[in-house]
């Protein structure tokens, strides 16, 4: 249901944008950009993706090794459980759970929302994205574009002139001040 609302919301936004673009009062200039095409033609972007892929594979191998170790410990435990005392069973179970916890923690630290891969991606990609944004902004200002839409993306807007931003006006209309 949320996806449907989001889809209709995007359609409504695009309808409003294009309605304004083609109305006499909305003489703003718009342009399209294909960010996939732009990124594919920037060697630094390809190098950054390769670095991210390599480090991701290395880190995944480390996580997989711990997971395999935990699985081996569990299989050994299952094979020997009938011969173990209650204390030995508890010790083995605790060791297996600790190994599983270590694997989960390592995975989270590498691949979690604020993990090492996220940080590495930001470090490598932010300078490239900033450079692209500045180039788009320069072209927009040079040619008088008010809005740049990405035709390769669901989000769409790459650059919007602050002159056409009505956020403050909408907040005032809702009774909020900034």
């Amino acid at each position: 249901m949320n996806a449907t609302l989001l889809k209709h919301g995007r359609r409504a936004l695009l309808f409003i944008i294009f309605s304004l673009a083609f109305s006499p009062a909305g003489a703003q200039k718009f342009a399209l950009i294909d960010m996939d095409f732009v990124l594919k033609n920037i060697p630094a972007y390809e190098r950054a993706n390769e670095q991210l892929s390599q480090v991701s594979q290395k880190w995944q191998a480390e996580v997989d090794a711990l997971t395999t170790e935990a699985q081996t410990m569990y299989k050994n435990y299952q094979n020997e459980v009938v011969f173990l005392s209650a204390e030995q069973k508890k010790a083995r179970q605790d060791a297996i759970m600790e190994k599983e916890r270590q694997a989960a923690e390592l995975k989270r630290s590498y691949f979690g929302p604020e993990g090492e891969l996220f940080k590495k991606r930001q470090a490598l990609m932010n300078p490239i994205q900033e450079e692209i944004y500045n180039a788009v902004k320069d072209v927009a200002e040079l040619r008088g574009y008010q809005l740049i839409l990405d035709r390769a993306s669901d989000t769409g807007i790459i650059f919007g002139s602050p002159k056409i931003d009505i956020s403050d006006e909408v907040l005032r209309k809702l009774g909020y001040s900034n």
Side-chain angles (χ1 to χ4, degrees):
M1 181 174 168
N2 287 340
T4 304
L5 290 175
L6 188 58
K7 186 176 180 181
H8 291 297
R10 285 189 189 130
R11 285 184 183 159
L13 177 62
L14 287 174
F15 174 77
I16 291 168
I17 289 170
F18 288 113
S19 295
L20 288 173
F22 296 112
S23 72
Q28 293 92 359
K29 288 177 66 177
F30 299 89
L32 296 176
I33 187 171
D34 186 336
M35 286 302 294
D36 287 344
F37 172 78
V38 170
L39 291 170
K40 285 178 185 171
N41 285 284
I42 297 176
Y45 177 77
E46 293 298 321
R47 286 191 302 272
N49 269 335
E50 182 58 34
Q51 284 180 5
L52 288 171
S53 177
Q54 288 173 358
V55 76
S56 177
Q57 288 172 5
K58 176 183 174 266
W59 289 341
Q60 186 61 51
E62 290 178 31
V63 170
D64 290 346
L66 279 177
T67 302
T68 300
E69 193 175 333
Q71 290 169 346
T72 301
M73 289 170 70
Y74 181 70
K75 286 177 187 173
N76 291 341
Y77 169 77
Q78 284 181 319
N79 291 335
E80 300 167 0
V81 70
V82 294
F83 305 111
L84 300 175
S85 68
E87 285 180 7
Q88 291 172 325
K89 287 179 187 178
K90 174 81 169 107
R92 293 270 189 99
Q93 290 169 356
D94 289 347
I96 293 166
M97 289 186 349
E98 175 61 20
K99 191 60 70 176
E100 289 172 341
R101 188 198 61 75
Q102 288 173 359
E105 176 61 27
L106 188 62
K107 183 175 183 177
R108 188 197 59 72
S109 73
Y110 283 154
F111 301 109
E114 297 293 322
E116 294 302 313
L117 187 62
F118 174 80
K119 293 174 187 172
K120 183 90 170 158
R121 180 175 286 119
Q122 277 191 315
L124 292 172
M125 296 299 186
N126 280 357
I128 297 167
Q129 291 171 338
E130 187 68 27
E131 183 179 17
I132 292 169
Y133 174 79
N134 287 332
V136 168
K137 184 179 171 194
D138 290 347
V139 169
E141 290 172 354
L142 177 70
R143 303 229 178 174
Y145 295 131
Q146 301 273 307
L147 190 68
I148 307 291
L149 300 169
D150 180 6
R151 66 185 199 179
S153 166
D154 286 339
T155 55
I157 298 173
I158 298 297
F159 169 82
S161 172
K163 295 174 188 171
I164 63 170
D165 186 341
I166 62 168
S167 301
D168 289 334
E169 184 178 348
V170 170
L171 283 173
R172 282 192 300 276
K173 181 95 172 153
L174 291 169
Y176 300 103
S177 61
N178 49 347

